[in-house]
Amino acid sequence: MMSFGLPGALRSTASWLGTIAGVLLLFVGGLTVADVVSRNVRGQSILGVVEISTLLLVAVAFLGLAAAEVNGKHVTVSLVEEHLGQNGRIVLSVMRSIFIVVLAVALLTGMSVVLESAFTRGETTNDVLRLPTWPAKVVLLLSFAFFFVTALWKEFFVFRILRSGHDPFAMEQQAELDRAAKELEATDER
C-alpha cells in the first residue's frame, strides 16, 4: 500500500508513536537485563518487573500500528487486485473502506466498554505492585483509533487515484524506484 498522500501531521504522529514504542522497548529490555543481573548477583528479582514489562509490551506492540500502515511495513497481498480491471479495483476499494469502518466501530466500541469497566472497577494487575490496567487500555484504544484513521485515509487516497484512471500499484512501484534512485544519488555524492 502506498505511503504517500497522507497529511504531514498524520505521518509525523505515526512516526512519533513508533519512536515511543521503540524507546519503551529499549526500557523493557533494560529492565529485563537489570532483573536478570539482580537475580544472578543478589539472588533476587527486582520487584514488579513482570507487571511493568507486561503493561509496557502492550504499548510497544500497538503504538507502532499506525507507523506500519503509514510506511507500508505490514503484510499486503495484492495478487488478485493487480489482475482486476479499473472498475473491479474501485469496487474492492469501496469494500475495503466499508470493512475498515465496520471493524473500527466494532473494535473501538468494544475497547471503550472494556476501558470504562476497568477504570470504574479499579482493575489492577494480579501481581505484587497491583498496577492499574486502564492506562495500557487507553494506549490500546488510541493506537487502534489512530491506525483506523490512517488506514481509512490511505484507502480514500487509493480510491481517488483509481477514480482518476491511474494505477496505484504502478504509482507505488514508480515511487519506490524514485526513492531508490535518490538514495543511490546521495550515496554516489559521498
Side-chain angles (χ1 to χ4, degrees):
M1 196 62 75
M2 287 150 289
S3 62
F4 51 90
L6 295 168
L10 208 55
R11 285 173 174 272
S12 63
T13 303
S15 176
W16 183 73
L17 292 175
T19 301
I20 290 173
V23 169
L24 289 176
L25 187 59
L26 284 174
F27 181 74
V28 169
L31 192 59
T32 303
V33 167
D35 187 46
V36 169
V37 169
S38 177
R39 272 187 275 145
N40 289 326
V41 172
R42 300 183 321 141
Q44 142 181 69
S45 286
I46 299 173
L47 189 65
V49 166
V50 173
E51 286 176 281
I52 294 168
S53 295
T54 301
L55 291 176
L56 289 178
L57 283 174
V58 169
V60 167
F62 294 101
L63 282 173
L65 276 176
E69 178 66 20
V70 166
N71 298 325
K73 301 292 183 188
H74 52 77
V75 177
T76 60
V77 180
S78 57
L79 182 65
V80 174
E81 187 172 359
E82 288 177 355
H83 299 290
L84 293 176
Q86 195 76 5
N87 290 335
R89 289 181 182 183
I90 290 172
V91 168
L92 201 55
S93 179
V94 170
M95 288 172 52
R96 270 194 308 262
S97 297
I98 292 169
F99 179 73
I100 290 169
V101 169
V102 169
L103 188 61
V105 168
L107 280 175
L108 296 177
T109 301
M111 286 182 199
S112 297
V113 170
V114 169
L115 170 63
E116 192 256 330
S117 172
F119 187 76
T120 303
R121 294 182 301 122
E123 183 180 279
T124 62
T125 57
N126 295 329
D127 290 331
V128 178
L129 297 180
R130 315 270 312 154
L131 297 171
T133 60
W134 67 265
K137 292 179 182 187
V138 166
V139 169
L140 192 66
L141 177 70
L142 293 176
S143 296
F144 267 105
F146 193 67
F147 166 75
F148 284 124
V149 166
T150 305
L152 197 56
W153 186 281
K154 283 183 75 171
E155 193 55 48
F156 177 68
F157 188 74
V158 167
F159 177 78
R160 286 182 48 207
I161 290 172
L162 289 168
R163 289 286 309 226
S164 70
H166 293 90
D167 182 1
F169 298 107
M171 291 175 72
E172 180 178 19
Q173 290 170 349
Q174 187 59 47
E176 287 297 320
L177 289 173
D178 291 344
R179 273 192 289 271
K182 285 180 184 176
E183 288 175 11
L184 189 59
E185 286 174 11
T187 306
D188 288 343
E189 290 175 4
R190 293 181 193 157

